[in-house]
Amino acid sequence: AKQAGGNLIRFFNPKMQESINARITLENELRIAIEKSQFHLYYQIQMDSDNRVLGAEALIRWTNPEHGLVLPATFIPIAEETGLILSIGKWVIETACAQIKVWQKKSQTRDLTLAVNVSAKQFRQKDFVDQVQSAVQRHAIPGNLLKLELTESLLQYDTEVTIAMMKALNKIGVQFSLDDFGTGYSSLQYLKRLPLDQFKIDQSFVRDIATDNNDKAIVKAIIAMAQILDIDVIAEGVETEEQQQLLLGKGCTLYQGYLFSKPIPIDQFDALIGRFTDS
Ligand code: C2E
Ligand code: CA
Ligand code: CA
Ligand code: CA
């Protein structure tokens, strides 16, 4: 269509064509990335208020032979649109379960939980529950060490099916965290129907918590909701002591952010754990 000239070309200015080409290239590169195992997981530590390690969140990275380390913001949206997220997501769950198994073998890391991000399309697969169950069973890990991070928008769709899926996974211990919490419109009425274990306060509310009274009020409301529902709260994007102290003062007990560590490769993460725990 590019060289069709005449009428057609007028609909596509060169800029548009450029970005279409870039997308197609990215899509092809993603297919190759899956085949050649160019993805890996980075791990970001999660802490409690007594400075004990709770576990980690797994965050995907792509090592592209040409561009080096690529962040998920660049490729997850395309992976979602093209459906490639299905095989990528499956790989993430598989790799996470394998990592939990490795941690199981050392007393120092035996109880670490690992949180993985699940995209809407991935969750809506007919066999999603089977995939997770089978990964947990094949790796012979305690299901409660695996935590799935879901977003409000994902949960709002087809509630009955969603609740049934979550309950089926609950049966083998799998936990659920509500990611980016506060950015959607979930009511207490609605949330109490979902078998959630954790709310994750979105980093946009943590960033200016020291100065912005609205953010302060929202964080307070989220924690109050969690207490009513008897759900844990973790704050993400915690970068300063001041933010942590303010969160602690409002009743938040779990933290994740650059204050403790950036997401890092597994060997660095294991070394970091060694520094937080005694033998
Ligand atoms: P998210 O799940 O909300 O992850 C939090 C993001 O904040 C991560 O970006 C993390 O590196 C970053 N972050 C953590 N602590 C701090 C901090 O103290 N300050 C600041 N400014 N940022 C912090 P990342 O790794 O680039 O991931 C971006 C998003 O990509 C994630 O947002 C998640 O939605 C998505 N993603 C990552 N891995 C996966 C995956 O395996 N599967 C799916 N479906 N999505 C993923
Ligand atoms: Ca997340
Ligand atoms: Ca988040
Ligand atoms: Ca986010």
Side-chain angles (χ1 to χ4, degrees):
K2 230 196 329 180
Q3 60 277 67
N7 287 329
L8 194 61
I9 205 84
R10 247 172 262 157
F11 291 105
F12 296 97
N13 63 46
K15 263 260 150 54
M16 282 166 76
Q17 190 59 53
E18 235 170 70
S19 77
I20 291 167
N21 288 346
R23 288 176 67 87
I24 293 168
T25 307
L26 185 58
E27 184 180 340
N28 289 334
E29 285 182 346
L30 276 178
R31 286 183 204 285
I32 295 167
I34 294 168
E35 278 163 31
K36 298 202 168 165
S37 317
Q38 292 169 352
F39 295 111
H40 34 255
L41 295 182
Y42 272 30
Y43 298 81
Q44 188 176 31
I45 200 166
Q46 298 179 329
M47 309 290 296
D48 75 9
S49 34
D50 297 319
N51 236 26
R52 278 182 310 222
V53 181
L54 172 75
E57 177 179 3
L59 293 152
I60 196 168
R61 298 292 183 265
W62 173 20
T63 312
N64 179 287
E66 216 180 309
H67 308 290
L69 198 73
V70 187
L71 291 172
T74 313
F75 64 91
I76 290 288
I78 310 269
E80 276 170 0
E81 275 172 46
T82 53
L84 291 170
I85 193 69
L86 301 186
S87 40
I88 295 172
K90 205 169 176 176
W91 175 85
V92 170
I93 286 170
E94 195 60 35
T95 307
C97 290
Q99 184 55 52
I100 291 171
K101 188 69 192 177
V102 172
W103 283 340
Q104 282 276 291
K105 290 173 184 157
K106 280 180 34 196
S107 63
Q108 214 180 41
T109 51
R110 185 158 297 151
D111 302 322
L112 298 187
T113 61
L114 186 54
V116 304
N117 293 284
V118 176
S119 88
K121 216 176 221 174
Q122 186 186 358
F123 189 82
R124 295 289 154 217
Q125 289 172 99
K126 282 272 170 321
D127 69 338
F128 181 74
V129 170
D130 279 349
Q131 275 181 34
V132 178
Q133 278 172 342
S134 133
V136 166
Q137 279 152 12
R138 254 181 302 106
H139 292 280
I141 54 166
N144 64 337
L145 298 180
L146 179 67
K147 190 178 286 168
L148 302 182
E149 294 199 356
L150 311 177
T151 57
E152 282 174 90
S153 55
L154 178 159
L155 291 173
Q156 228 107 44
Y157 178 85
D158 213 344
T159 309
E160 299 312 319
V161 174
T162 300
I163 293 173
M165 288 172 72
M166 291 171 78
K167 285 191 172 156
L169 287 169
N170 260 175
K171 281 208 177 107
I172 57 162
V174 172
Q175 299 191 61
F176 292 95
S177 177
L178 186 49
D179 204 355
D180 303 337
F181 189 51
T183 60
Y185 299 92
S186 306
S187 67
L188 201 55
Q189 187 63 31
Y190 172 74
L191 288 171
K192 82 171 186 205
R193 300 188 55 215
L194 302 172
L196 288 165
D197 301 281
Q198 185 181 78
F199 287 162
K200 196 165 203 182
I201 303 174
D202 191 63
Q203 58 188 63
S204 62
F205 304 116
V206 173
R207 194 174 303 125
D208 300 322
I209 193 171
T211 51
D212 188 319
N213 285 327
N214 287 330
D215 290 346
K216 263 186 206 148
I218 290 166
V219 168
K220 209 171 157 188
I222 291 173
I223 294 169
M225 266 178 149
Q227 282 166 348
I228 292 167
L229 297 169
D230 196 19
I231 286 175
D232 279 343
V233 182
I234 186 165
E236 72 177 351
V238 181
E239 295 183 353
T240 67
E241 301 265 4
E242 188 184 24
Q243 289 168 341
Q244 191 195 9
Q245 285 310 312
L246 286 164
L247 288 159
L248 181 65
K250 301 210 178 316
C252 182
T253 53
L254 302 169
Y255 311 91
Q256 181 183 345
Y258 295 169
L259 176 61
F260 309 99
S261 167
K262 293 196 166 183
I264 45 182
I266 190 61
D267 48 332
Q268 288 179 37
F269 182 82
D270 284 338
L272 180 69
I273 292 293
R275 275 188 272 137
F276 277 108
T277 44
D278 302 321
S279 94

